[in-house]
Amino acid sequence: MQNNLLSELKSFWGNIIQKEESNPQNVENFLEQLTLLKFAENKRIYFSIFNFADFKKEYASSNTLEVFGITPEVYEERGTELFFSMIDPEHSQIMLANNIPLKDYLEDIQNEKDILTFMFLDCGFKFHHSGKGTIRLLRKNNVFEINAKNQPIRSLSMFQDITHLMKNDFFWFRGVFSSSERTYYMSYRSDTNEVSNKDILSDREKEILKYIAEGKETDEIAKILFISKTTINNHRQNMLNKLGAKDTTALVQLAKLTNLL
C-alpha cells in the first residue's frame, strides 16, 4: 500500500503539472529568507523544499532522526520512498482518496489570473517512528513558486510531531487556495469520510476560538457575541471533535499550527 501511495501521488502531480526545468536560484533565494530555519530544527520541526513537477525534495533540514526516526544519511539515500513506507496503511488509503477532489480544485483555480496563496496540510496522520513507535504528524505545505498557468511548482514543507495534541484516532486534511477574487476551501475528516468545499471549522467556530485563544472566559464570550453559555460550550466541544484535540489548550495550539487562527 505504501508503494502504491507513492506511485499514485507521483502520477497525480505528474498529470496536472507540466514538467519544467529546475531553477536552483529560486530555491537559494527562498532559503535566504528563512532566517528561522536553524531555530525550527531546534524546535524539532523538519523543513524541506519540495518540487511538485519532479516529485522530489530539493532541500532538507538535518533533523530527520528526531522527527522521523531516520538518520540523515539513510534519509538522503532512500528519501521519499522510505518516508511513505512508514505511514500507517490505514491513513495511506485516505491520502490517496483525497487526490481526486484536490485535482478538481486545482483545475478550477487555474482559471483565476493570480493565485496569492496555496496551502494544504494533513493533520494527525499515523507514522511509525523507529524510536518512539506510532506518532501523529502534521504536514504543512506552503507554495512559494507557481508557473505561468498558476500551477504550484515548489513548496515549503514542514513536518512536526503533534502526538501530544491529538486525542481521536483520525486525521484531517485542510486546503486553502486564495485568488484576488475569492478564497477556496477544501477539507476532509477521516471519521466522517467526507470531503467538503467548506473549511474544517465554521466562521462562528473560528470567531469563538479567537476569543478562547485570547484567554476570555465562556461568560465573557457569550456577552460579546450575544449567545448563551451553552451555545459557546457546544461550539467548543464540536471544535474539539473536529480537530481531534485532547483539550482546549491543545485545540488552540492545533488551530495556530494549521492557520485556523
Side-chain angles (χ1 to χ4, degrees), residues 201-219:
L201 297 182
S202 69
D203 290 342
R204 178 58 111 182
E205 288 169 338
K206 291 178 189 176
E207 185 178 28
I208 292 172
L209 186 55
K210 178 177 73 72
Y211 288 122
I212 292 174
E214 292 173 357
K216 289 182 168 57
E217 299 294 335
T218 301
D219 287 353

Side-chain angles (χ1 to χ4, degrees), residues 25-40:
Q25 189 61 46
N26 284 358
V27 176
E28 292 174 10
N29 291 342
F30 184 74
L31 286 172
E32 288 177 1
Q33 303 173 36
L34 300 179
T35 57
L36 294 180
L37 263 182
K38 202 64 185 177
F39 172 78

Side-chain angles (χ1 to χ4, degrees), residues 125-260:
F125 68 91
K126 295 179 185 177
F127 187 85
H128 298 291
H129 190 290
S130 61
K132 301 176 182 178
T134 300
I135 62 174
R136 309 293 292 280
L137 284 178
L138 170 66
R139 178 183 70 161
K140 183 176 178 182
N141 288 279
N142 290 89
V143 169
F144 67 89
E145 184 181 353
I146 60 176
N147 62 19
K149 292 188 176 182
N150 288 337
Q151 298 170 325
I153 300 175
R154 291 181 175 87
S155 74
L156 172 65
S157 297
M158 295 164 280
F159 294 81
Q160 68 186 101
D161 185 351
I162 57 170
T163 307
H164 61 294
L165 301 177
M166 301 293 292
K167 177 182 66 174
N168 296 327
D169 193 30
F170 68 91
F171 89 92
W172 48 276
F173 172 93
R174 179 176 188 248
V176 182
F177 316 90
S178 298
S179 75
S180 58
E181 298 179 5
R182 59 175 293 193
T183 298
Y184 300 77
Y185 292 105
M186 174 184 168
S187 63
Y188 170 85
R189 291 169 51 194
S190 64
D191 60 331
T192 61
N193 199 30
E194 293 180 354
V195 177
S196 172
N197 62 358
K198 297 180 181 179
D199 207 356
I200 192 80
L201 297 182
S202 69
D203 290 342
R204 178 58 111 182
E205 288 169 338
K206 291 178 189 176
E207 185 178 28
I208 292 172
L209 186 55
K210 178 177 73 72
Y211 288 122
I212 292 174
E214 292 173 357
K216 289 182 168 57
E217 299 294 335
T218 301
D219 287 353
E220 202 175 354
I221 300 172
K223 290 178 181 178
I224 293 172
L225 298 179
F226 300 102
I227 55 180
S228 70
K229 291 186 291 183
T230 299
T231 300
I232 298 292
N233 289 328
N234 286 340
H235 280 303
R236 187 198 306 265
Q237 187 59 53
N238 286 338
M239 288 187 283
L240 287 168
N241 293 338
K242 286 182 177 181
L243 302 193
K246 284 187 175 180
D247 51 34
T248 301
T249 300
L251 173 67
V252 171
Q253 289 181 299
L254 278 176
K256 289 179 178 178
L257 289 173
T258 55
N259 290 43
L260 284 164

Side-chain angles (χ1 to χ4, degrees), residues 1 26 32 46 49 69 78 99 108 117 143 174 219 261:
M1 175 52 66
N26 284 358
E32 288 177 1
Y46 170 82
I49 300 297
R78 297 184 58 192
N99 276 1
D108 185 26
T117 61
V143 169
R174 179 176 188 248
D219 287 353
L261 278 177

